[in-house]
Amino acid sequence: MSNSPDTNQWKTLDKDLGRISQVEYATAYVARPLTALGIALAFIVVAGLGAALFFGTQPGNLIVVAAAVFGAYMALNIGANDVANNMGPAVGANALTMGGAIVIAAICETAGALLAGGDVVSTISKGIIDPASVAETQSFIWAMMAALVSAALWVNLATKVGAPVSTTHSVVGGVMGAGIAAAGFGAVSWPTMSAIAASWVISPVLGGVFAAAFLALIKSRIIYRDDKLAAARFWVPILVGVMAGTFAAYLALKGLKRVIEIDMGAALLIGLVGGLVCWGLTVPLVRRQSRGLENRNRSLKTLFALPLIVSAALLSFAHGANDVANAVGPLAAIVHASEFGAAAGQVAIPLWVMVIGALGISFGLFLFGPKLIRMVGSQITKLNPMRAYCVALSAAITVIVASWLGLPVSSTHIAVGGVFGVGFFREWYMERRRRASNAGAGTARRLPPEERRRRKLVRRSHFMTIIAAWVITVPAAAAMSAAIFLLLNSVLV
């Protein structure tokens, strides 16, 4: 039976409409990254125009405009890379959606930067180079510009390959490289650099050890108990109190310094009071939340979900308060040198510089952050709310311990080290239980290599990529910075 002309026309029309729909989907898929790049470029342009309106366009002020442009670029890259470490575990544990994580992180990072961000920062990255060794103002400005550009480029490259790196270490490497190019190796404080290099090991190891210890506690005291809910009613408020107390102490040290000087002892006392108050408030909340739940691990995930979300928000606030100032330090140094005609080791960060940093982080997180959030949250190892909470609690405690000991640590390395610590502890724990089970059954069967690889709970490829990126961050940023400084010095002098 032959088809009628009308039927053939309808079929042809359906095919054409189908092709058009596919073209529309393909166009939208291709345009999505271009839209993000367009918004990022618009933000960078607005930052430059704002600096031009504020300072004017006289030849001497154009360097400030250029620095504002690169400062905005740096802030976008911080949002795309660094913030993922705070929100990744919560997203990977399915306690937060990607959209919810981005909104909470953007609000908390901005609030931390603007409300509790340092009003005075060591723009020479905590004494890495001596300002007196780069006494000429113009050379100092070029050195800070080279540090800013190289750090931003390196973080951008790391984000492209999916490696969470320390933005502070990127700035450190940039400042060191520019300082060496400007004044030789003698300008660098090598004891300071040695301490920073030690933090490459100290940060992830401490983060991993604390995270593994808390996971061991949760497994032994809650997960493997006969009455899981009764154990959770006792231990979850304690863990929440520890988290609250840790953050209270941390924010007292970092966030209240504009109002009052607080030493470590007073901060710990504030943390103790805050922890006890939150413990007392959490006890009835957990009891009410646990009513009607079944005695199984799925119920435990429900009890840990809200504390995990709150801890992720607090980590973002602390990150905004602590790390943004370090990232925009070179920009603040350029502004100060341009205004006063002299280099300085410490300067007050202007409000507009902090605004560029805070808004840039929010835009970078919204536009480019999901890639690293997925990497940290789900691609290194599988997380649930209990494991992710261990990572967040580990990050908070490690920062406090490091501050008390005077160790320079990286929040990025701590958080990612916590994720690795949880994954490797689970591998060790499962292998231990397998061997105990075999011993009890009187067997000593050795697993074939394929089965051993399948049972590994941490992706080794991601582990090696991230470790390699950490190791070469400072040298790579330093080499790029030195090359950029020499180029600027030869072209513009």
PDB file of all heavy atoms in Angstrom, residues 13 48 78 87 90 95 116-117 137 140 207 227 229 242 255 264-265 269 279-280 317 320 347 381 411 444 449 477 479:
ATOM      1  N   LEU A  13       8.216  16.609   7.150  1.00  0.00           N
ATOM      2  CA  LEU A  13       8.201  17.718   8.100  1.00  0.00           C
ATOM      3  C   LEU A  13       8.725  17.280   9.462  1.00  0.00           C
ATOM      4  O   LEU A  13       9.496  18.004  10.109  1.00  0.00           O
ATOM      5  CB  LEU A  13       6.774  18.256   8.230  1.00  0.00           C
ATOM      6  CG  LEU A  13       6.586  19.447   9.191  1.00  0.00           C
ATOM      7  CD1 LEU A  13       7.435  20.634   8.724  1.00  0.00           C
ATOM      8  CD2 LEU A  13       5.120  19.844   9.271  1.00  0.00           C
ATOM      9  N   GLY A  48      38.139  46.364  35.288  1.00  0.00           N
ATOM     10  CA  GLY A  48      39.076  47.327  34.723  1.00  0.00           C
ATOM     11  C   GLY A  48      38.471  48.709  34.574  1.00  0.00           C
ATOM     12  O   GLY A  48      39.111  49.728  34.888  1.00  0.00           O
ATOM     13  N   ILE A  78      40.219  31.441  41.386  1.00  0.00           N
ATOM     14  CA  ILE A  78      40.082  30.938  42.758  1.00  0.00           C
ATOM     15  C   ILE A  78      38.706  30.300  42.931  1.00  0.00           C
ATOM     16  O   ILE A  78      38.571  29.213  43.495  1.00  0.00           O
ATOM     17  CB  ILE A  78      40.267  32.082  43.776  1.00  0.00           C
ATOM     18  CG1 ILE A  78      41.698  32.615  43.734  1.00  0.00           C
ATOM     19  CG2 ILE A  78      39.932  31.605  45.187  1.00  0.00           C
ATOM     20  CD1 ILE A  78      41.902  33.834  44.594  1.00  0.00           C
ATOM     21  N   MET A  87      33.031  22.554  49.126  1.00  0.00           N
ATOM     22  CA  MET A  87      31.695  22.070  48.776  1.00  0.00           C
ATOM     23  C   MET A  87      31.708  20.681  48.132  1.00  0.00           C
ATOM     24  O   MET A  87      30.672  20.021  48.088  1.00  0.00           O
ATOM     25  CB  MET A  87      31.026  23.062  47.824  1.00  0.00           C
ATOM     26  CG  MET A  87      30.548  24.316  48.516  1.00  0.00           C
ATOM     27  SD  MET A  87      29.263  23.935  49.726  1.00  0.00           S
ATOM     28  CE  MET A  87      29.200  25.455  50.665  1.00  0.00           C
ATOM     29  N   ALA A  90      30.307  17.656  50.278  1.00  0.00           N
ATOM     30  CA  ALA A  90      28.860  17.715  50.522  1.00  0.00           C
ATOM     31  C   ALA A  90      28.082  17.331  49.271  1.00  0.00           C
ATOM     32  O   ALA A  90      27.060  16.646  49.343  1.00  0.00           O
ATOM     33  CB  ALA A  90      28.470  19.113  50.993  1.00  0.00           C
ATOM     34  N   ALA A  95      24.371  15.359  49.955  1.00  0.00           N
ATOM     35  CA  ALA A  95      23.717  16.193  50.967  1.00  0.00           C
ATOM     36  C   ALA A  95      23.290  17.520  50.371  1.00  0.00           C
ATOM     37  O   ALA A  95      22.385  18.176  50.902  1.00  0.00           O
ATOM     38  CB  ALA A  95      24.667  16.425  52.145  1.00  0.00           C
ATOM     39  N   ALA A 116      35.034  39.416  57.336  1.00  0.00           N
ATOM     40  CA  ALA A 116      36.108  38.944  58.213  1.00  0.00           C
ATOM     41  C   ALA A 116      37.459  38.862  57.524  1.00  0.00           C
ATOM     42  O   ALA A 116      38.429  38.395  58.105  1.00  0.00           O
ATOM     43  CB  ALA A 116      35.748  37.565  58.774  1.00  0.00           C
ATOM     44  N   GLY A 117      37.537  39.306  56.269  1.00  0.00           N
ATOM     45  CA  GLY A 117      38.801  39.275  55.548  1.00  0.00           C
ATOM     46  C   GLY A 117      39.815  40.205  56.172  1.00  0.00           C
ATOM     47  O   GLY A 117      39.476  41.248  56.721  1.00  0.00           O
ATOM     48  N   THR A 137      60.487  51.436  42.696  1.00  0.00           N
ATOM     49  CA  THR A 137      59.029  51.253  42.675  1.00  0.00           C
ATOM     50  C   THR A 137      58.561  50.546  41.413  1.00  0.00           C
ATOM     51  O   THR A 137      57.712  49.645  41.458  1.00  0.00           O
ATOM     52  CB  THR A 137      58.325  52.613  42.812  1.00  0.00           C
ATOM     53  OG1 THR A 137      58.749  53.234  44.024  1.00  0.00           O
ATOM     54  CG2 THR A 137      56.819  52.445  42.831  1.00  0.00           C
ATOM     55  N   PHE A 140      59.309  46.895  41.493  1.00  0.00           N
ATOM     56  CA  PHE A 140      58.420  46.246  42.455  1.00  0.00           C
ATOM     57  C   PHE A 140      57.034  46.024  41.840  1.00  0.00           C
ATOM     58  O   PHE A 140      56.434  44.948  41.998  1.00  0.00           O
ATOM     59  CB  PHE A 140      58.311  47.095  43.717  1.00  0.00           C
ATOM     60  CG  PHE A 140      57.362  46.546  44.747  1.00  0.00           C
ATOM     61  CD1 PHE A 140      57.747  45.511  45.579  1.00  0.00           C
ATOM     62  CD2 PHE A 140      56.076  47.061  44.869  1.00  0.00           C
ATOM     63  CE1 PHE A 140      56.870  44.997  46.520  1.00  0.00           C
ATOM     64  CE2 PHE A 140      55.197  46.554  45.804  1.00  0.00           C
ATOM     65  CZ  PHE A 140      55.605  45.521  46.638  1.00  0.00           C
ATOM     66  N   GLY A 207      45.490  16.464  57.383  1.00  0.00           N
ATOM     67  CA  GLY A 207      44.093  16.355  56.986  1.00  0.00           C
ATOM     68  C   GLY A 207      43.658  14.909  56.842  1.00  0.00           C
ATOM     69  O   GLY A 207      42.575  14.524  57.303  1.00  0.00           O
ATOM     70  N   ASP A 227      22.587  -1.176  67.991  1.00  0.00           N
ATOM     71  CA  ASP A 227      21.569  -0.120  67.944  1.00  0.00           C
ATOM     72  C   ASP A 227      22.231   1.154  67.401  1.00  0.00           C
ATOM     73  O   ASP A 227      22.764   1.970  68.157  1.00  0.00           O
ATOM     74  CB  ASP A 227      20.981   0.122  69.336  1.00  0.00           C
ATOM     75  CG  ASP A 227      19.728   1.005  69.296  1.00  0.00           C
ATOM     76  OD1 ASP A 227      19.519   1.688  68.270  1.00  0.00           O
ATOM     77  OD2 ASP A 227      18.974   1.003  70.280  1.00  0.00           O
ATOM     78  N   LEU A 229      20.957   3.809  65.922  1.00  0.00           N
ATOM     79  CA  LEU A 229      20.285   5.075  66.219  1.00  0.00           C
ATOM     80  C   LEU A 229      20.602   5.555  67.634  1.00  0.00           C
ATOM     81  O   LEU A 229      20.819   6.759  67.854  1.00  0.00           O
ATOM     82  CB  LEU A 229      18.779   4.927  66.032  1.00  0.00           C
ATOM     83  CG  LEU A 229      18.312   4.733  64.586  1.00  0.00           C
ATOM     84  CD1 LEU A 229      16.802   4.578  64.532  1.00  0.00           C
ATOM     85  CD2 LEU A 229      18.746   5.908  63.712  1.00  0.00           C
ATOM     86  N   VAL A 242      32.004  19.456  68.533  1.00  0.00           N
ATOM     87  CA  VAL A 242      33.433  19.598  68.189  1.00  0.00           C
ATOM     88  C   VAL A 242      33.596  20.496  66.971  1.00  0.00           C
ATOM     89  O   VAL A 242      34.462  21.384  66.937  1.00  0.00           O
ATOM     90  CB  VAL A 242      34.059  18.215  67.943  1.00  0.00           C
ATOM     91  CG1 VAL A 242      35.476  18.363  67.404  1.00  0.00           C
ATOM     92  CG2 VAL A 242      34.076  17.398  69.230  1.00  0.00           C
ATOM     93  N   GLY A 255      38.257  36.303  62.413  1.00  0.00           N
ATOM     94  CA  GLY A 255      37.188  37.216  62.047  1.00  0.00           C
ATOM     95  C   GLY A 255      37.001  38.403  62.957  1.00  0.00           C
ATOM     96  O   GLY A 255      36.406  39.397  62.554  1.00  0.00           O
ATOM     97  N   MET A 264      45.403  32.825  71.285  1.00  0.00           N
ATOM     98  CA  MET A 264      44.965  31.450  71.100  1.00  0.00           C
ATOM     99  C   MET A 264      44.190  30.939  72.305  1.00  0.00           C
ATOM    100  O   MET A 264      43.186  30.230  72.158  1.00  0.00           O
ATOM    101  CB  MET A 264      46.177  30.556  70.820  1.00  0.00           C
ATOM    102  CG  MET A 264      45.831  29.086  70.618  1.00  0.00           C
ATOM    103  SD  MET A 264      44.722  28.770  69.231  1.00  0.00           S
ATOM    104  CE  MET A 264      45.874  29.002  67.860  1.00  0.00           C
ATOM    105  N   GLY A 265      44.624  31.300  73.524  1.00  0.00           N
ATOM    106  CA  GLY A 265      43.925  30.837  74.719  1.00  0.00           C
ATOM    107  C   GLY A 265      42.483  31.318  74.771  1.00  0.00           C
ATOM    108  O   GLY A 265      41.557  30.542  75.059  1.00  0.00           O
ATOM    109  N   LEU A 269      38.907  29.169  74.450  1.00  0.00           N
ATOM    110  CA  LEU A 269      37.821  29.293  75.429  1.00  0.00           C
ATOM    111  C   LEU A 269      36.500  29.595  74.733  1.00  0.00           C
ATOM    112  O   LEU A 269      35.459  29.010  75.065  1.00  0.00           O
ATOM    113  CB  LEU A 269      38.160  30.385  76.443  1.00  0.00           C
ATOM    114  CG  LEU A 269      37.113  30.619  77.545  1.00  0.00           C
ATOM    115  CD1 LEU A 269      36.920  29.346  78.368  1.00  0.00           C
ATOM    116  CD2 LEU A 269      37.533  31.786  78.437  1.00  0.00           C
ATOM    117  N   TRP A 279      26.343  21.628  71.242  1.00  0.00           N
ATOM    118  CA  TRP A 279      26.055  20.261  71.680  1.00  0.00           C
ATOM    119  C   TRP A 279      24.708  20.199  72.392  1.00  0.00           C
ATOM    120  O   TRP A 279      23.874  19.324  72.116  1.00  0.00           O
ATOM    121  CB  TRP A 279      27.166  19.779  72.609  1.00  0.00           C
ATOM    122  CG  TRP A 279      26.825  18.493  73.308  1.00  0.00           C
ATOM    123  CD1 TRP A 279      26.884  17.231  72.794  1.00  0.00           C
ATOM    124  CD2 TRP A 279      26.353  18.350  74.660  1.00  0.00           C
ATOM    125  NE1 TRP A 279      26.475  16.310  73.732  1.00  0.00           N
ATOM    126  CE2 TRP A 279      26.144  16.973  74.889  1.00  0.00           C
ATOM    127  CE3 TRP A 279      26.089  19.265  75.688  1.00  0.00           C
ATOM    128  CZ2 TRP A 279      25.683  16.494  76.115  1.00  0.00           C
ATOM    129  CZ3 TRP A 279      25.633  18.793  76.901  1.00  0.00           C
ATOM    130  CH2 TRP A 279      25.432  17.411  77.101  1.00  0.00           C
ATOM    131  N   GLY A 280      24.467  21.165  73.303  1.00  0.00           N
ATOM    132  CA  GLY A 280      23.207  21.179  74.031  1.00  0.00           C
ATOM    133  C   GLY A 280      22.005  21.398  73.127  1.00  0.00           C
ATOM    134  O   GLY A 280      20.929  20.812  73.352  1.00  0.00           O
ATOM    135  N   PHE A 317      33.010  30.186  54.480  1.00  0.00           N
ATOM    136  CA  PHE A 317      33.177  31.483  55.145  1.00  0.00           C
ATOM    137  C   PHE A 317      34.619  31.653  55.614  1.00  0.00           C
ATOM    138  O   PHE A 317      35.234  32.713  55.418  1.00  0.00           O
ATOM    139  CB  PHE A 317      32.220  31.580  56.333  1.00  0.00           C
ATOM    140  CG  PHE A 317      32.235  32.915  57.025  1.00  0.00           C
ATOM    141  CD1 PHE A 317      31.361  33.915  56.649  1.00  0.00           C
ATOM    142  CD2 PHE A 317      33.132  33.174  58.048  1.00  0.00           C
ATOM    143  CE1 PHE A 317      31.381  35.154  57.285  1.00  0.00           C
ATOM    144  CE2 PHE A 317      33.167  34.393  58.689  1.00  0.00           C
ATOM    145  CZ  PHE A 317      32.279  35.398  58.300  1.00  0.00           C
ATOM    146  N   GLY A 320      36.890  32.312  52.663  1.00  0.00           N
ATOM    147  CA  GLY A 320      36.789  33.692  52.201  1.00  0.00           C
ATOM    148  C   GLY A 320      37.519  34.656  53.111  1.00  0.00           C
ATOM    149  O   GLY A 320      38.162  35.604  52.661  1.00  0.00           O
ATOM    150  N   VAL A 347      50.294  46.288  53.639  1.00  0.00           N
ATOM    151  CA  VAL A 347      49.441  47.416  53.282  1.00  0.00           C
ATOM    152  C   VAL A 347      48.006  47.059  53.614  1.00  0.00           C
ATOM    153  O   VAL A 347      47.634  45.892  53.711  1.00  0.00           O
ATOM    154  CB  VAL A 347      49.533  47.769  51.775  1.00  0.00           C
ATOM    155  CG1 VAL A 347      50.935  48.186  51.403  1.00  0.00           C
ATOM    156  CG2 VAL A 347      49.058  46.613  50.917  1.00  0.00           C
ATOM    157  N   THR A 381      37.157   9.353  45.444  1.00  0.00           N
ATOM    158  CA  THR A 381      36.635   8.196  46.165  1.00  0.00           C
ATOM    159  C   THR A 381      35.169   8.451  46.448  1.00  0.00           C
ATOM    160  O   THR A 381      34.696   9.590  46.374  1.00  0.00           O
ATOM    161  CB  THR A 381      37.419   7.964  47.482  1.00  0.00           C
ATOM    162  OG1 THR A 381      37.057   6.701  48.028  1.00  0.00           O
ATOM    163  CG2 THR A 381      37.114   9.050  48.493  1.00  0.00           C
ATOM    164  N   SER A 411      44.669  25.226  52.828  1.00  0.00           N
ATOM    165  CA  SER A 411      43.319  24.691  53.019  1.00  0.00           C
ATOM    166  C   SER A 411      42.961  23.707  51.911  1.00  0.00           C
ATOM    167  O   SER A 411      42.243  22.724  52.142  1.00  0.00           O
ATOM    168  CB  SER A 411      42.300  25.843  53.047  1.00  0.00           C
ATOM    169  OG  SER A 411      42.337  26.583  51.840  1.00  0.00           O
ATOM    170  N   ALA A 444      43.357 -18.824  53.363  1.00  0.00           N
ATOM    171  CA  ALA A 444      44.312 -17.723  53.136  1.00  0.00           C
ATOM    172  C   ALA A 444      44.377 -17.431  51.647  1.00  0.00           C
ATOM    173  O   ALA A 444      45.461 -17.339  51.066  1.00  0.00           O
ATOM    174  CB  ALA A 444      45.672 -18.078  53.692  1.00  0.00           C
ATOM    175  N   PRO A 449      45.586 -10.044  40.912  1.00  0.00           N
ATOM    176  CA  PRO A 449      45.853  -8.603  40.729  1.00  0.00           C
ATOM    177  C   PRO A 449      44.638  -7.827  40.232  1.00  0.00           C
ATOM    178  O   PRO A 449      44.410  -6.697  40.665  1.00  0.00           O
ATOM    179  CB  PRO A 449      46.992  -8.592  39.690  1.00  0.00           C
ATOM    180  CG  PRO A 449      47.650  -9.923  39.846  1.00  0.00           C
ATOM    181  CD  PRO A 449      46.571 -10.885  40.219  1.00  0.00           C
ATOM    182  N   ALA A 477      54.833  28.155  38.941  1.00  0.00           N
ATOM    183  CA  ALA A 477      54.425  29.551  39.055  1.00  0.00           C
ATOM    184  C   ALA A 477      55.633  30.473  39.114  1.00  0.00           C
ATOM    185  O   ALA A 477      55.615  31.579  38.542  1.00  0.00           O
ATOM    186  CB  ALA A 477      53.548  29.734  40.299  1.00  0.00           C
ATOM    187  N   ALA A 479      58.660  29.948  37.724  1.00  0.00           N
ATOM    188  CA  ALA A 479      59.273  30.046  36.389  1.00  0.00           C
ATOM    189  C   ALA A 479      58.448  30.945  35.477  1.00  0.00           C
ATOM    190  O   ALA A 479      59.009  31.799  34.755  1.00  0.00           O
ATOM    191  CB  ALA A 479      59.384  28.643  35.781  1.00  0.00           C
TER     192      ALA A 479
END
